[in-house]
Amino acid sequence: MEIERINENTVKFFISYVDIEDRGFGREEIWYNRERSEQLFWQMMDEVNYQEDFHVDGPLWIQVHALEKGLEIVVTKAQLSKNGDNLEFPIDEDGSTIDIPVDEKVESFLEEKFGNGENVDLDEGFIEENLWIIAGFDDFEDVIQLSHHFQEDTGSEEETLYFYNGKYYLYMEFSQDVLDENSQEDIISRVFEFGDDSNITIHVLEEYGKKIFDTTTFEEVRSHFPANV
């Protein structure tokens, strides 16, 4: 899970669907099972509190964005207004706020977002997600060697290379319609002979990384860096 502290009262974090499933939660139940969605949410908040010292001690203003690969969540702690009649929720970087009367029920994030899938715009891609991996490489030479290792077409849907924080990251996505499970596992094991499995998310790479090659990395690398004869 990637965590970004916005300010004293606001934190933003991204959790991939793979991470959600690795924590023991099903993709469907986080939308339709309130008890399980609450467990996931407070598990994430415990991690946020541990890493960012973000203590929850009152009402929260929570926004959820369903992205292709996971959930982006912004959590803001409310503060009582000076007269004590309203809860103030900062909503913009310029410090502007919205006020909610303290005697008005603030709808629960889990009720509105996790507990009711009808409020979230999902399509089949979120349910039938392709298998994907992200491999990290300390040296570009390893990417070159890997590209020449795959002289044949891998059959992957996407091979995109990013550069981020002094390291290269290869995002590969596979489709069950093209490759069966055994073929996918064989390709993945061969990739990890040259690179390391990474827990960085595609969300972080797309937002902060530099895209080097798009979609057809192996073919592009071979064309620019031919094998020595």
Side-chain angles (χ1 to χ4, degrees):
M1 188 171 72
E2 302 294 329
I3 303 172
E4 178 183 357
R5 186 67 177 261
I6 305 300
N7 54 44
E8 180 181 356
N9 297 311
T10 304
V11 67
K12 177 170 71 173
F13 52 98
F14 174 83
I15 183 168
S16 70
Y17 292 125
V18 172
D19 193 354
I20 289 173
E21 292 173 350
D22 287 343
R23 294 166 185 256
F25 298 89
R27 184 87 60 84
E28 293 284 337
E29 66 182 351
I30 64 171
W31 301 113
Y32 301 109
N33 187 321
R34 182 189 175 98
E35 181 179 353
R36 292 288 285 165
S37 62
E38 286 180 345
Q39 291 175 5
L40 173 62
F41 177 71
W42 291 115
Q43 184 183 115
M44 292 188 294
M45 290 305 299
D46 285 343
E47 188 171 335
V48 170
N49 179 40
Y50 176 78
Q51 294 191 33
E52 294 294 336
D53 196 27
F54 189 82
H55 297 284
V56 176
D57 52 7
L60 301 175
W61 176 266
I62 305 172
Q63 297 170 289
V64 167
H65 304 283
L67 305 178
E68 182 180 358
K69 302 299 180 183
L71 303 177
E72 182 183 79
I73 303 168
V74 179
V75 180
T76 299
K77 293 188 287 188
Q79 295 178 318
L80 277 175
S81 60
K82 293 181 179 179
N83 59 18
D85 295 330
N86 296 290
L87 294 172
E88 294 182 342
F89 293 92
I91 58 173
D92 290 321
E93 293 181 357
D94 63 5
S96 55
T97 64
I98 62 171
D99 293 341
I100 297 178
V102 293
D103 58 351
E104 177 182 325
K105 180 181 178 182
V106 180
E107 290 298 323
S108 165
F109 154 75
L110 295 168
E111 177 84 15
E112 181 179 347
K113 294 295 184 180
F114 275 177
N116 187 351
E118 294 178 357
N119 290 336
V120 182
D121 183 17
L122 297 176
D123 59 29
E124 292 182 358
F126 296 132
I127 305 302
E128 300 296 334
E129 185 181 69
N130 289 338
L131 173 66
W132 57 271
I133 62 168
I134 295 178
F137 304 85
D138 293 321
D139 196 322
F140 186 70
E141 181 62 31
D142 293 327
V143 181
I144 296 176
Q145 295 297 324
L146 174 61
S147 299
H148 286 286
H149 177 74
F150 286 111
Q151 288 294 334
E152 76 283 4
D153 183 7
T154 62
S156 61
E157 293 284 300
E158 181 179 344
E159 303 156 3
T160 300
L161 187 68
Y162 297 87
F163 183 76
Y164 174 69
N165 275 358
K167 193 169 182 176
Y168 296 91
Y169 293 93
L170 176 68
Y171 171 82
M172 294 187 70
E173 184 172 319
F174 306 91
S175 172
Q176 292 282 2
D177 296 334
V178 178
L179 297 171
D180 60 29
E181 185 175 337
N182 290 334
S183 298
Q184 293 180 36
E185 290 179 354
D186 176 65
I187 292 173
I188 292 171
S189 64
R190 292 162 67 185
V191 169
F192 288 143
E193 291 178 10
F194 296 85
D196 300 318
D197 189 10
S198 174
N199 60 4
I200 197 168
T201 68
I202 188 62
H203 171 76
V204 171
L205 293 177
E206 288 178 342
E207 185 168 355
Y208 302 108
K210 179 180 180 181
K211 186 178 292 186
I212 307 298
F213 295 112
D214 188 16
T215 306
T216 56
T217 290
F218 294 158
E219 181 181 341
E220 293 283 347
V221 170
R222 287 196 300 266
S223 67
H224 287 85
F225 303 93
N228 296 325
V229 179

